[in-house]
CSV table of all heavy atoms in Angstrom, one decimal:
chain,number,residue,atom,x,y,z
W,189,MET,N,0.9,-1.2,0.0
W,189,MET,CA,0.0,0.0,0.0
W,189,MET,C,0.9,1.2,0.0
W,189,MET,O,1.9,1.3,0.7
W,189,MET,CB,-0.9,-0.1,1.2
W,189,MET,CG,-1.8,1.1,1.3
W,189,MET,SD,-3.1,1.3,2.6
W,189,MET,CE,-3.0,-0.3,3.5
W,190,MET,N,0.4,2.3,-0.8
W,190,MET,CA,1.2,3.5,-0.9
W,190,MET,C,0.7,4.5,0.1
W,190,MET,O,-0.5,4.8,0.2
W,190,MET,CB,1.2,4.0,-2.3
W,190,MET,CG,2.0,5.3,-2.5
W,190,MET,SD,2.1,5.9,-4.1
W,190,MET,CE,0.6,5.5,-4.9
W,191,ASP,N,1.6,5.1,1.0
W,191,ASP,CA,1.2,6.1,1.9
W,191,ASP,C,1.3,7.4,1.2
W,191,ASP,O,2.5,7.9,0.8
W,191,ASP,CB,2.0,6.1,3.1
W,191,ASP,CG,1.5,7.0,4.2
W,191,ASP,OD1,0.5,7.6,4.1
W,191,ASP,OD2,2.3,7.2,5.2
W,192,ILE,N,0.2,8.2,1.0
W,192,ILE,CA,0.3,9.4,0.2
W,192,ILE,C,0.0,10.6,1.2
W,192,ILE,O,-0.1,11.8,0.8
W,192,ILE,CB,-0.7,9.5,-1.0
W,192,ILE,CG1,-2.1,9.2,-0.5
W,192,ILE,CG2,-0.2,8.5,-2.0
W,192,ILE,CD1,-3.1,9.4,-1.5
W,193,GLY,N,-0.2,10.3,2.5
W,193,GLY,CA,-0.5,11.5,3.4
W,193,GLY,C,-1.9,11.8,3.3
W,193,GLY,O,-2.7,11.3,2.6
W,194,LEU,N,-2.2,12.9,4.1
W,194,LEU,CA,-3.6,13.3,4.1
W,194,LEU,C,-3.9,14.2,2.9
W,194,LEU,O,-3.2,15.0,2.5
W,194,LEU,CB,-3.8,14.1,5.3
W,194,LEU,CG,-3.8,13.3,6.7
W,194,LEU,CD1,-4.1,14.3,7.9
W,194,LEU,CD2,-4.9,12.2,6.7
W,195,LYS,N,-5.0,13.9,2.2
W,195,LYS,CA,-5.4,14.7,1.1
W,195,LYS,C,-6.9,15.1,1.3
W,195,LYS,O,-7.6,14.2,1.9
W,195,LYS,CB,-5.4,13.9,-0.3
W,195,LYS,CG,-4.0,13.4,-0.6
W,195,LYS,CD,-3.4,14.4,-1.6
W,195,LYS,CE,-2.1,13.9,-2.0
W,195,LYS,NZ,-1.4,14.8,-2.8
W,196,ARG,N,-7.4,16.2,0.8
W,196,ARG,CA,-8.8,16.4,1.0
W,196,ARG,C,-9.5,16.2,-0.3
W,196,ARG,O,-8.9,16.5,-1.4
W,196,ARG,CB,-8.9,18.0,1.3
W,196,ARG,CG,-8.3,18.3,2.7
W,196,ARG,CD,-8.7,19.6,3.1
W,196,ARG,NE,-9.4,19.4,4.4
W,196,ARG,CZ,-10.3,20.2,4.8
W,196,ARG,NH1,-10.5,21.3,4.3
W,196,ARG,NH2,-10.9,19.9,6.0
W,197,PHE,N,-10.7,15.6,-0.3
W,197,PHE,CA,-11.5,15.4,-1.5
W,197,PHE,C,-12.9,15.6,-1.1
W,197,PHE,O,-13.3,15.5,0.0
W,197,PHE,CB,-11.2,14.1,-2.1
W,197,PHE,CG,-11.5,12.9,-1.2
W,197,PHE,CD1,-12.7,12.3,-1.3
W,197,PHE,CD2,-10.5,12.4,-0.3
W,197,PHE,CE1,-12.9,11.1,-0.4
W,197,PHE,CE2,-10.8,11.4,0.6
W,197,PHE,CZ,-12.0,10.8,0.5
W,198,ARG,N,-13.7,15.8,-2.2
W,198,ARG,CA,-15.1,16.0,-1.9
W,198,ARG,C,-15.9,14.7,-2.2
W,198,ARG,O,-15.7,13.9,-3.1
W,198,ARG,CB,-15.6,17.1,-2.8
W,198,ARG,CG,-15.1,18.4,-2.6
W,198,ARG,CD,-15.7,19.4,-3.7
W,198,ARG,NE,-15.2,20.7,-3.4
W,198,ARG,CZ,-15.9,21.7,-2.9
W,198,ARG,NH1,-17.2,21.5,-2.8
W,198,ARG,NH2,-15.4,22.8,-2.7
W,199,ILE,N,-16.9,14.4,-1.3
W,199,ILE,CA,-17.7,13.3,-1.3
W,199,ILE,C,-19.2,13.9,-1.6
W,199,ILE,O,-19.6,14.7,-0.9
W,199,ILE,CB,-17.8,12.4,-0.2
W,199,ILE,CG1,-16.3,11.9,0.1
W,199,ILE,CG2,-18.7,11.3,-0.2
W,199,ILE,CD1,-16.2,11.2,1.5
W,200,PRO,N,-19.9,13.4,-2.6
W,200,PRO,CA,-21.3,13.9,-2.8
W,200,PRO,C,-22.0,13.7,-1.5
W,200,PRO,O,-22.0,12.8,-0.8
W,200,PRO,CB,-21.8,13.0,-3.9
W,200,PRO,CG,-20.6,12.6,-4.6
W,200,PRO,CD,-19.5,12.5,-3.7
W,201,HIS,N,-22.9,14.7,-1.3
W,201,HIS,CA,-23.6,14.8,0.0
W,201,HIS,C,-24.5,13.6,0.3
W,201,HIS,O,-24.5,13.1,1.5
W,201,HIS,CB,-24.5,16.1,0.0
W,201,HIS,CG,-25.3,16.3,1.3
W,201,HIS,ND1,-26.6,16.0,1.4
W,201,HIS,CD2,-24.9,16.8,2.4
W,201,HIS,CE1,-26.9,16.3,2.7
W,201,HIS,NE2,-25.9,16.7,3.3
W,202,LYS,N,-25.2,13.1,-0.7
W,202,LYS,CA,-26.1,11.9,-0.4
W,202,LYS,C,-25.2,10.6,-0.1
W,202,LYS,O,-25.7,9.9,0.7
W,202,LYS,CB,-27.0,11.7,-1.7
W,202,LYS,CG,-28.1,12.6,-1.8
W,202,LYS,CD,-29.0,12.2,-2.9
W,202,LYS,CE,-30.3,13.2,-2.9
W,202,LYS,NZ,-31.3,12.7,-3.8
W,203,ILE,N,-24.1,10.6,-0.8
W,203,ILE,CA,-23.3,9.4,-0.4
W,203,ILE,C,-22.6,9.5,1.0
W,203,ILE,O,-22.7,8.6,1.8
W,203,ILE,CB,-22.1,9.3,-1.5
W,203,ILE,CG1,-22.7,8.8,-2.8
W,203,ILE,CG2,-21.0,8.3,-1.0
W,203,ILE,CD1,-21.8,8.9,-3.9
W,204,ALA,N,-22.1,10.7,1.3
W,204,ALA,CA,-21.7,11.0,2.7
W,204,ALA,C,-22.7,10.7,3.7
W,204,ALA,O,-22.5,10.0,4.7
W,204,ALA,CB,-21.2,12.4,2.8
W,205,GLU,N,-23.9,11.2,3.5
W,205,GLU,CA,-25.1,10.9,4.4
W,205,GLU,C,-25.3,9.4,4.6
W,205,GLU,O,-25.5,8.9,5.7
W,205,GLU,CB,-26.3,11.6,3.9
W,205,GLU,CG,-26.6,12.9,4.5
W,205,GLU,CD,-28.0,13.4,4.1
W,205,GLU,OE1,-28.6,12.9,3.2
W,205,GLU,OE2,-28.4,14.4,4.7
W,206,SER,N,-25.3,8.7,3.5
W,206,SER,CA,-25.6,7.4,3.5
W,206,SER,C,-24.6,6.5,4.4
W,206,SER,O,-24.9,5.5,4.9
W,206,SER,CB,-25.8,6.7,2.2
W,206,SER,OG,-24.6,6.6,1.5
W,207,PHE,N,-23.4,7.0,4.4
W,207,PHE,CA,-22.3,6.4,5.1
W,207,PHE,C,-22.1,6.9,6.5
W,207,PHE,O,-21.2,6.5,7.2
W,207,PHE,CB,-21.0,6.3,4.4
W,207,PHE,CG,-20.9,5.4,3.3
W,207,PHE,CD1,-21.0,5.8,1.9
W,207,PHE,CD2,-20.8,4.0,3.4
W,207,PHE,CE1,-21.0,4.8,0.9
W,207,PHE,CE2,-20.7,3.1,2.4
W,207,PHE,CZ,-20.9,3.6,1.1
W,208,GLY,N,-22.8,8.0,6.8
W,208,GLY,CA,-22.8,8.6,8.2
W,208,GLY,C,-21.5,9.4,8.2
W,208,GLY,O,-20.9,9.6,9.3
W,209,ILE,N,-21.0,10.0,7.2
W,209,ILE,CA,-19.8,10.8,7.1
W,209,ILE,C,-20.2,12.2,7.2
W,209,ILE,O,-21.2,12.7,6.7
W,209,ILE,CB,-19.1,10.6,5.8
W,209,ILE,CG1,-18.6,9.1,5.6
W,209,ILE,CG2,-18.0,11.6,5.6
W,209,ILE,CD1,-18.1,8.8,4.2
W,210,ASN,N,-19.5,13.0,8.1
W,210,ASN,CA,-19.7,14.3,8.2
W,210,ASN,C,-18.4,15.2,8.1
W,210,ASN,O,-17.3,14.5,7.8
W,210,ASN,CB,-20.4,14.7,9.6
W,210,ASN,CG,-19.4,14.4,10.8
W,210,ASN,OD1,-18.3,14.6,10.8
W,210,ASN,ND2,-20.1,13.9,11.8
W,211,GLU,N,-18.4,16.5,8.3
W,211,GLU,CA,-17.2,17.3,8.1
W,211,GLU,C,-16.0,16.9,9.0
W,211,GLU,O,-14.8,17.3,8.8
W,211,GLU,CB,-17.5,18.7,8.2
W,211,GLU,CG,-18.0,19.2,9.5
W,211,GLU,CD,-19.5,19.1,9.6
W,211,GLU,OE1,-20.2,18.6,8.7
W,211,GLU,OE2,-20.0,19.4,10.8
W,212,ASN,N,-16.3,16.2,10.1
W,212,ASN,CA,-15.2,15.8,11.1
W,212,ASN,C,-14.8,14.4,10.9
W,212,ASN,O,-13.9,13.9,11.6
W,212,ASN,CB,-15.7,16.0,12.5
W,212,ASN,CG,-16.1,17.4,12.8
W,212,ASN,OD1,-15.3,18.3,12.4
W,212,ASN,ND2,-17.2,17.7,13.4
W,213,SER,N,-15.3,13.7,9.9
W,213,SER,CA,-14.9,12.3,9.6
W,213,SER,C,-13.6,12.3,8.9
W,213,SER,O,-13.2,13.0,8.1
W,213,SER,CB,-16.0,11.7,8.8
W,213,SER,OG,-17.2,11.6,9.5
W,214,ILE,N,-12.9,11.1,9.2
W,214,ILE,CA,-11.7,10.8,8.4
W,214,ILE,C,-12.0,9.5,7.7
W,214,ILE,O,-12.4,8.6,8.2
W,214,ILE,CB,-10.5,10.5,9.5
W,214,ILE,CG1,-10.1,11.9,10.2
W,214,ILE,CG2,-9.3,10.0,8.7
W,214,ILE,CD1,-9.1,11.7,11.2
W,215,VAL,N,-11.8,9.5,6.4
W,215,VAL,CA,-12.1,8.4,5.4
W,215,VAL,C,-10.8,7.9,5.0
W,215,VAL,O,-10.0,8.6,4.5
W,215,VAL,CB,-13.0,8.9,4.4
W,215,VAL,CG1,-13.2,7.7,3.4
W,215,VAL,CG2,-14.3,9.5,4.9
W,216,GLU,N,-10.6,6.5,5.1
W,216,GLU,CA,-9.4,5.9,4.6
W,216,GLU,C,-9.8,5.1,3.4
W,216,GLU,O,-10.7,4.3,3.4
W,216,GLU,CB,-8.8,5.0,5.7
W,216,GLU,CG,-7.6,4.3,5.2
W,216,GLU,CD,-7.1,3.3,6.3
W,216,GLU,OE1,-7.5,3.4,7.5
W,216,GLU,OE2,-6.2,2.5,5.9
W,217,LEU,N,-9.1,5.4,2.4
W,217,LEU,CA,-9.4,4.7,1.0
W,217,LEU,C,-8.3,3.5,0.9
W,217,LEU,O,-7.1,3.7,1.1
W,217,LEU,CB,-9.1,5.7,-0.2
W,217,LEU,CG,-10.0,6.9,-0.1
W,217,LEU,CD1,-9.7,7.7,-1.3
W,217,LEU,CD2,-11.5,6.4,-0.2
W,218,THR,N,-8.9,2.4,0.7
W,218,THR,CA,-8.0,1.2,0.5
W,218,THR,C,-8.3,0.7,-0.9
W,218,THR,O,-9.3,0.9,-1.5
W,218,THR,CB,-8.2,0.2,1.5
W,218,THR,OG1,-9.6,-0.3,1.5
W,218,THR,CG2,-8.0,0.7,3.0
W,219,GLU,N,-7.3,0.0,-1.3
W,219,GLU,CA,-7.4,-0.6,-2.7
W,219,GLU,C,-7.6,-2.2,-2.5
W,219,GLU,O,-6.9,-2.8,-1.7
W,219,GLU,CB,-6.0,-0.4,-3.5
W,219,GLU,CG,-6.2,-0.8,-4.9
W,219,GLU,CD,-4.9,-0.5,-5.6
W,219,GLU,OE1,-4.3,0.5,-5.3
W,219,GLU,OE2,-4.5,-1.3,-6.5
W,220,LYS,N,-8.6,-2.7,-3.1
W,220,LYS,CA,-8.9,-4.2,-3.0
W,220,LYS,C,-9.3,-4.6,-4.4
W,220,LYS,O,-10.0,-3.9,-5.1
W,220,LYS,CB,-9.9,-4.5,-1.9
W,220,LYS,CG,-11.3,-4.0,-2.1
W,220,LYS,CD,-12.1,-4.5,-0.9
W,220,LYS,CE,-13.5,-4.2,-1.1
W,220,LYS,NZ,-14.4,-4.6,-0.1
W,221,PRO,N,-9.2,-5.9,-4.6
W,221,PRO,CA,-9.5,-6.4,-5.9
W,221,PRO,C,-11.1,-6.3,-6.1
W,221,PRO,O,-11.8,-6.5,-5.2
W,221,PRO,CB,-9.1,-7.8,-6.0
W,221,PRO,CG,-8.3,-8.1,-4.7
W,221,PRO,CD,-8.5,-6.9,-3.9
W,222,CYS,N,-11.4,-6.0,-7.3
W,222,CYS,CA,-12.9,-5.9,-7.6
W,222,CYS,C,-13.2,-6.8,-8.7
W,222,CYS,O,-12.8,-6.7,-9.8
W,222,CYS,CB,-13.2,-4.4,-8.0
W,222,CYS,SG,-15.0,-4.1,-8.3
W,223,ASN,N,-14.1,-7.9,-8.4
W,223,ASN,CA,-14.6,-8.8,-9.3
W,223,ASN,C,-16.1,-8.8,-9.2
W,223,ASN,O,-16.7,-9.8,-8.7
W,223,ASN,CB,-14.0,-10.2,-9.0
W,223,ASN,CG,-13.1,-10.6,-10.0
W,223,ASN,OD1,-13.1,-10.1,-11.2
W,223,ASN,ND2,-12.4,-11.7,-9.8
W,224,PRO,N,-16.8,-7.7,-9.7
W,224,PRO,CA,-18.2,-7.7,-9.5
W,224,PRO,C,-18.9,-8.8,-10.3
W,224,PRO,O,-18.6,-9.0,-11.5
W,224,PRO,CB,-18.6,-6.3,-9.9
W,224,PRO,CG,-17.6,-5.8,-10.8
W,224,PRO,CD,-16.2,-6.6,-10.3
W,225,THR,N,-19.9,-9.4,-9.8
W,225,THR,CA,-20.8,-10.3,-10.5
W,225,THR,C,-22.2,-9.5,-10.5
W,225,THR,O,-22.5,-8.7,-9.6
W,225,THR,CB,-20.9,-11.6,-9.9
W,225,THR,OG1,-21.5,-11.5,-8.7
W,225,THR,CG2,-19.6,-12.3,-9.9
W,226,LEU,N,-23.1,-9.9,-11.3
W,226,LEU,CA,-24.4,-9.4,-11.3
W,226,LEU,C,-25.1,-9.7,-9.9
W,226,LEU,O,-25.8,-8.8,-9.4
W,226,LEU,CB,-25.3,-10.0,-12.4
W,226,LEU,CG,-26.7,-9.6,-12.6
W,226,LEU,CD1,-26.8,-8.0,-12.7
W,226,LEU,CD2,-27.5,-10.2,-13.7
W,227,ASP,N,-25.0,-10.8,-9.4
W,227,ASP,CA,-25.5,-11.2,-8.1
W,227,ASP,C,-25.0,-10.2,-7.0
W,227,ASP,O,-25.8,-9.8,-6.1
W,227,ASP,CB,-25.3,-12.6,-7.8
W,227,ASP,CG,-26.1,-13.6,-8.6
W,227,ASP,OD1,-27.1,-13.2,-9.2
W,227,ASP,OD2,-25.6,-14.7,-8.8
W,228,ARG,N,-23.7,-10.0,-7.0
W,228,ARG,CA,-23.1,-9.1,-6.0
W,228,ARG,C,-23.7,-7.7,-6.2
W,228,ARG,O,-23.9,-7.0,-5.3
W,228,ARG,CB,-21.6,-9.1,-6.1
W,228,ARG,CG,-21.0,-10.3,-5.5
W,228,ARG,CD,-19.5,-10.2,-5.6
W,228,ARG,NE,-18.8,-11.4,-5.2
W,228,ARG,CZ,-17.5,-11.7,-5.5
W,228,ARG,NH1,-16.8,-10.8,-6.0
W,228,ARG,NH2,-17.1,-12.8,-5.1
W,229,LEU,N,-23.7,-7.2,-7.4
W,229,LEU,CA,-24.2,-5.9,-7.7
W,229,LEU,C,-25.7,-5.8,-7.2
W,229,LEU,O,-26.0,-4.7,-6.6
W,229,LEU,CB,-24.0,-5.5,-9.1
W,229,LEU,CG,-22.6,-5.4,-9.7
W,229,LEU,CD1,-22.6,-5.1,-11.2
W,229,LEU,CD2,-22.0,-4.1,-9.0
W,230,LEU,N,-26.4,-6.6,-7.6
W,230,LEU,CA,-27.9,-6.6,-7.2
W,230,LEU,C,-28.0,-6.7,-5.6
W,230,LEU,O,-28.9,-6.0,-5.1
W,230,LEU,CB,-28.7,-7.7,-7.8
W,230,LEU,CG,-28.8,-7.6,-9.4
W,230,LEU,CD1,-29.5,-8.8,-10.0
W,230,LEU,CD2,-29.5,-6.4,-9.7
W,231,ALA,N,-27.2,-7.6,-5.0
W,231,ALA,CA,-27.3,-7.7,-3.6
W,231,ALA,C,-26.9,-6.3,-2.9
W,231,ALA,O,-27.2,-6.2,-1.7
W,231,ALA,CB,-26.3,-8.8,-3.1
W,232,SER,N,-26.0,-5.5,-3.6
W,232,SER,CA,-25.6,-4.3,-2.9
W,232,SER,C,-26.6,-3.2,-2.9
W,232,SER,O,-26.4,-2.2,-2.3
W,232,SER,CB,-24.2,-3.9,-3.6
W,232,SER,OG,-24.6,-3.3,-4.9
W,233,ILE,N,-27.6,-3.4,-3.7
W,233,ILE,CA,-28.7,-2.3,-3.7
W,233,ILE,C,-29.5,-2.4,-2.4
W,233,ILE,O,-30.1,-3.5,-2.2
W,233,ILE,CB,-29.6,-2.5,-5.0
W,233,ILE,CG1,-28.8,-2.4,-6.3
W,233,ILE,CG2,-30.7,-1.5,-5.0
W,233,ILE,CD1,-29.6,-2.8,-7.5
W,234,PRO,N,-29.6,-1.3,-1.7
W,234,PRO,CA,-30.4,-1.3,-0.4
W,234,PRO,C,-31.9,-1.6,-0.7
W,234,PRO,O,-32.4,-1.2,-1.7
W,234,PRO,CB,-30.2,0.1,0.2
W,234,PRO,CG,-29.1,0.8,-0.7
W,234,PRO,CD,-29.0,0.0,-1.9
W,235,GLU,N,-32.6,-2.2,0.3
W,235,GLU,CA,-34.0,-2.5,0.2
W,235,GLU,C,-34.7,-1.3,0.0
W,235,GLU,O,-35.8,-1.2,-0.8
W,235,GLU,CB,-34.5,-3.2,1.4
W,235,GLU,CG,-33.9,-4.6,1.6
W,235,GLU,CD,-34.5,-5.6,0.6
W,235,GLU,OE1,-35.7,-5.5,0.3
W,235,GLU,OE2,-33.8,-6.5,0.2
W,236,ASP,N,-34.4,-0.2,0.6
W,236,ASP,CA,-35.1,1.1,0.5
W,236,ASP,C,-34.6,2.0,-0.6
W,236,ASP,O,-34.9,3.2,-0.5
W,236,ASP,CB,-35.2,1.9,1.8
W,236,ASP,CG,-33.7,2.2,2.3
W,236,ASP,OD1,-32.8,1.7,1.7
W,236,ASP,OD2,-33.5,3.0,3.2
W,237,PHE,N,-34.0,1.5,-1.6
W,237,PHE,CA,-33.4,2.3,-2.7
W,237,PHE,C,-34.6,3.1,-3.5
W,237,PHE,O,-35.6,2.4,-3.7
W,237,PHE,CB,-32.7,1.4,-3.7
W,237,PHE,CG,-32.2,2.2,-4.9
W,237,PHE,CD1,-31.1,3.0,-4.9
W,237,PHE,CD2,-32.9,2.2,-6.1
W,237,PHE,CE1,-30.7,3.7,-5.9
W,237,PHE,CE2,-32.5,2.9,-7.3
W,237,PHE,CZ,-31.3,3.7,-7.1
W,238,GLN,N,-34.4,4.3,-3.7
W,238,GLN,CA,-35.2,5.1,-4.5
W,238,GLN,C,-34.4,5.9,-5.6
W,238,GLN,O,-33.3,6.3,-5.3
W,238,GLN,CB,-36.0,6.1,-3.6
W,238,GLN,CG,-36.9,5.5,-2.7
W,238,GLN,CD,-37.6,6.6,-1.8
W,238,GLN,OE1,-37.4,7.7,-1.9
W,238,GLN,NE2,-38.6,6.1,-1.0
W,239,TYR,N,-34.9,5.9,-6.8
W,239,TYR,CA,-34.2,6.7,-7.9
W,239,TYR,C,-34.3,8.1,-7.5
W,239,TYR,O,-35.3,8.7,-6.9
W,239,TYR,CB,-35.0,6.5,-9.2
W,239,TYR,CG,-34.7,5.1,-9.8
W,239,TYR,CD1,-35.7,4.1,-9.8
W,239,TYR,CD2,-33.5,4.9,-10.4
W,239,TYR,CE1,-35.4,2.8,-10.4
W,239,TYR,CE2,-33.3,3.6,-11.0
W,239,TYR,CZ,-34.2,2.6,-11.0
W,239,TYR,OH,-34.0,1.5,-11.6
W,240,PRO,N,-33.2,8.8,-7.8
W,240,PRO,CA,-33.2,10.4,-7.7
W,240,PRO,C,-34.4,11.0,-8.6
W,240,PRO,O,-34.8,10.4,-9.6
W,240,PRO,CB,-31.9,10.8,-8.2
W,240,PRO,CG,-31.0,9.5,-8.3
W,240,PRO,CD,-31.9,8.3,-8.4
W,241,GLU,N,-34.9,12.0,-8.1
W,241,GLU,CA,-36.1,12.7,-8.8
W,241,GLU,C,-35.7,13.0,-10.2
W,241,GLU,O,-36.7,12.9,-11.0
W,241,GLU,CB,-36.4,13.9,-8.0
W,241,GLU,CG,-37.1,13.8,-6.8
W,241,GLU,CD,-37.5,15.1,-6.0
W,241,GLU,OE1,-37.8,16.0,-6.8
W,241,GLU,OE2,-37.5,15.0,-4.9
W,242,ASP,N,-34.4,13.4,-10.6
W,242,ASP,CA,-34.1,13.8,-11.9
W,242,ASP,C,-34.3,12.6,-13.0
W,242,ASP,O,-34.4,12.9,-14.1
W,242,ASP,CB,-32.8,14.3,-12.0
W,242,ASP,CG,-31.7,13.5,-11.6
W,242,ASP,OD1,-32.0,12.5,-10.8
W,242,ASP,OD2,-30.5,13.8,-11.9
W,243,ILE,N,-34.3,11.3,-12.5
W,243,ILE,CA,-34.5,10.2,-13.4
W,243,ILE,C,-35.8,9.4,-13.2
W,243,ILE,O,-36.1,8.4,-14.0
W,243,ILE,CB,-33.3,9.2,-13.5
W,243,ILE,CG1,-33.1,8.6,-12.2
W,243,ILE,CG2,-32.0,10.0,-14.0
W,243,ILE,CD1,-32.1,7.5,-12.3
W,244,LEU,N,-36.5,9.8,-12.2
W,244,LEU,CA,-37.7,9.0,-11.8
W,244,LEU,C,-38.7,9.0,-12.8
W,244,LEU,O,-39.4,7.9,-13.1
W,244,LEU,CB,-38.2,9.6,-10.4
W,244,LEU,CG,-39.4,8.8,-9.8
W,244,LEU,CD1,-38.8,7.4,-9.4
W,244,LEU,CD2,-39.8,9.5,-8.5
W,245,ASP,N,-38.9,10.2,-13.5
W,245,ASP,CA,-39.9,10.3,-14.6
W,245,ASP,C,-39.5,9.3,-15.8
W,245,ASP,O,-40.4,8.6,-16.3
W,245,ASP,CB,-40.0,11.7,-15.1
W,245,ASP,CG,-40.8,12.6,-14.2
W,245,ASP,OD1,-41.5,12.1,-13.4
W,245,ASP,OD2,-40.6,13.8,-14.3
W,246,PHE,N,-38.2,9.2,-16.1
W,246,PHE,CA,-37.8,8.3,-17.1
W,246,PHE,C,-38.1,6.9,-16.8
W,246,PHE,O,-38.6,6.1,-17.5
W,246,PHE,CB,-36.4,8.6,-17.4
W,246,PHE,CG,-35.8,7.5,-18.4
W,246,PHE,CD1,-36.1,7.7,-19.8
W,246,PHE,CD2,-35.1,6.5,-18.0
W,246,PHE,CE1,-35.5,6.7,-20.7
W,246,PHE,CE2,-34.5,5.6,-18.8
W,246,PHE,CZ,-34.7,5.6,-20.2
W,247,VAL,N,-37.7,6.5,-15.5
W,247,VAL,CA,-37.7,5.1,-15.0
W,247,VAL,C,-39.2,4.7,-15.1
W,247,VAL,O,-39.5,3.5,-15.4
W,247,VAL,CB,-37.1,4.9,-13.7
W,247,VAL,CG1,-37.3,3.6,-13.1
W,247,VAL,CG2,-35.6,5.2,-13.8
W,248,GLU,N,-40.1,5.6,-14.6
W,248,GLU,CA,-41.5,5.1,-14.5
W,248,GLU,C,-42.4,5.3,-15.8
W,248,GLU,O,-43.5,4.9,-15.8
W,248,GLU,CB,-42.2,6.0,-13.3
W,248,GLU,CG,-41.7,5.6,-12.0
W,248,GLU,CD,-42.3,6.4,-10.8
W,248,GLU,OE1,-42.9,7.4,-11.1
W,248,GLU,OE2,-42.1,6.0,-9.7
W,249,SER,N,-41.7,5.9,-16.9
W,249,SER,CA,-42.4,6.1,-18.1
W,249,SER,C,-42.4,4.8,-18.9
W,249,SER,O,-41.6,4.0,-18.8
W,249,SER,CB,-41.9,7.3,-18.8
W,249,SER,OG,-40.6,7.0,-19.3
W,250,GLY,N,-43.4,4.7,-19.9
W,250,GLY,CA,-43.4,3.6,-20.8
W,250,GLY,C,-42.4,3.9,-21.9
W,250,GLY,O,-41.8,5.0,-22.1
W,251,PRO,N,-42.1,2.9,-22.7
W,251,PRO,CA,-41.2,3.0,-23.9
W,251,PRO,C,-41.7,4.1,-24.9
W,251,PRO,O,-42.9,4.1,-25.2
W,251,PRO,CB,-41.1,1.7,-24.4
W,251,PRO,CG,-42.3,0.9,-24.0
W,251,PRO,CD,-42.7,1.6,-22.7
W,252,GLY,N,-40.9,4.9,-25.3
W,252,GLY,CA,-41.3,5.8,-26.4
W,252,GLY,C,-40.9,5.4,-27.8
W,252,GLY,O,-41.2,6.1,-28.8
W,253,GLY,N,-40.3,4.3,-28.0
W,253,GLY,CA,-39.9,3.7,-29.3
W,253,GLY,C,-38.6,4.0,-29.7
W,253,GLY,O,-38.2,3.6,-30.8
W,254,LYS,N,-37.9,5.0,-29.0
W,254,LYS,CA,-36.5,5.5,-29.6
W,254,LYS,C,-35.4,5.1,-28.6
W,254,LYS,O,-34.4,5.6,-28.7
W,254,LYS,CB,-36.5,6.9,-29.8
W,254,LYS,CG,-37.6,7.3,-30.9
W,254,LYS,CD,-37.5,8.7,-31.2
W,254,LYS,CE,-38.4,9.2,-32.3
W,254,LYS,NZ,-38.5,10.6,-32.5
W,255,GLU,N,-35.7,4.2,-27.6
W,255,GLU,CA,-34.7,3.9,-26.7
W,255,GLU,C,-33.6,3.1,-27.3
W,255,GLU,O,-33.8,2.3,-28.2
W,255,GLU,CB,-35.3,3.1,-25.5
W,255,GLU,CG,-36.2,4.0,-24.6
W,255,GLU,CD,-37.6,4.1,-25.2
W,255,GLU,OE1,-37.9,3.5,-26.2
W,255,GLU,OE2,-38.4,4.7,-24.6
W,256,MET,N,-32.4,3.3,-26.8
W,256,MET,CA,-31.3,2.5,-27.4
W,256,MET,C,-31.1,1.4,-26.4
W,256,MET,O,-31.2,1.5,-25.1
W,256,MET,CB,-30.0,3.3,-27.4
W,256,MET,CG,-30.0,4.4,-28.5
W,256,MET,SD,-28.5,5.2,-28.6
W,256,MET,CE,-27.5,4.1,-29.2
W,257,ILE,N,-30.9,0.2,-26.9
W,257,ILE,CA,-30.7,-1.1,-26.0
W,257,ILE,C,-29.2,-1.4,-26.1
W,257,ILE,O,-28.6,-1.4,-27.1
W,257,ILE,CB,-31.6,-2.2,-26.5
W,257,ILE,CG1,-33.0,-1.7,-26.4
W,257,ILE,CG2,-31.3,-3.4,-25.7
W,257,ILE,CD1,-34.0,-2.8,-26.7
């Protein structure tokens, strides 16, 4: 592991809230192998997941005939 010292970075507010991170939190980033499978990705979605408002209309709308697959 490479020690790069303390760095400041921004975390989107909703992500910080979901992890209980606030302005006094110290976050340690670690590197680990990532081998996602569909099952793991689906299992990582919280039971109470809700789409953000900006895409909710799209998700709940019917097909318009011009969607790319």
Side-chain angles (χ1 to χ4, degrees):
M189 183 178 349
M190 179 175 34
D191 185 8
I192 58 172
L194 292 177
K195 299 264 183 187
R196 297 192 119 203
F197 61 95
R198 292 177 178 250
I199 299 172
H201 184 259
K202 284 187 177 187
I203 293 173
E205 263 187 347
S206 71
F207 284 106
I209 298 170
N210 64 40
E211 61 273 0
N212 298 315
S213 297
I214 296 175
V215 177
E216 182 179 343
L217 301 177
T218 59
E219 190 176 324
K220 66 179 188 178
C222 181
N223 245 350
T225 64
L226 180 58
D227 289 334
R228 285 185 189 163
L229 290 173
L230 293 174
S232 72
I233 300 172
E235 291 288 327
D236 61 348
F237 175 80
Q238 294 181 355
Y239 285 103
E241 287 182 30
D242 59 340
I243 62 167
L244 193 56
D245 287 339
F246 172 77
V247 172
E248 291 181 345
S249 67
K254 296 183 181 179
E255 292 81 4
M256 294 183 70
I257 297 177

